[in-house]
Amino acid sequence: MNTFTKASLALLTSSVIATSAFAAGSTGETSYEDYRTNVSSVEALSNTLESKGIEFNADVNLQGANTFAKKADAYSDKYQELQTIFNAAHFSN
């Protein structure tokens, strides 16, 4: 019985360690996915603003953004800026 308890505890511990390692290892993929999602969001909102004839600047400053997380943040900031422009034009009527 004591051997069974030790084996169960060892299995549980290795599962926890493997799960932690997997979560830590997937950070790069998550940053890349966030980056791609934010780029797509900016492109979609830019197309909407353009189709409505609203003036805007969709240029994203990526200077100093040397990781996907920083690039995602830059695109997120631009999305918020474009969303503010859209809201002002859309809700002003």
Side-chain angles (χ1 to χ4, degrees), residues 11-71:
L11 181 61
L12 178 65
T13 303
S14 63
S15 297
V16 169
I17 291 171
T19 302
S20 300
F22 179 73
S26 67
T27 303
E29 294 173 9
T30 301
S31 295
Y32 179 73
E33 290 170 359
D34 289 345
Y35 164 71
R36 291 301 310 152
T37 299
N38 291 349
V39 168
S40 297
S41 296
V42 167
E43 289 173 354
L45 191 50
S46 295
N47 290 337
T48 301
L49 291 170
E50 187 175 334
S51 71
K52 293 185 177 288
I54 300 170
E55 292 186 30
F56 64 97
N57 178 5
D59 294 335
V60 178
N61 182 6
L62 294 177
Q63 187 173 355
N66 54 0
T67 65
F68 283 119
K70 289 179 183 179
K71 290 177 183 180

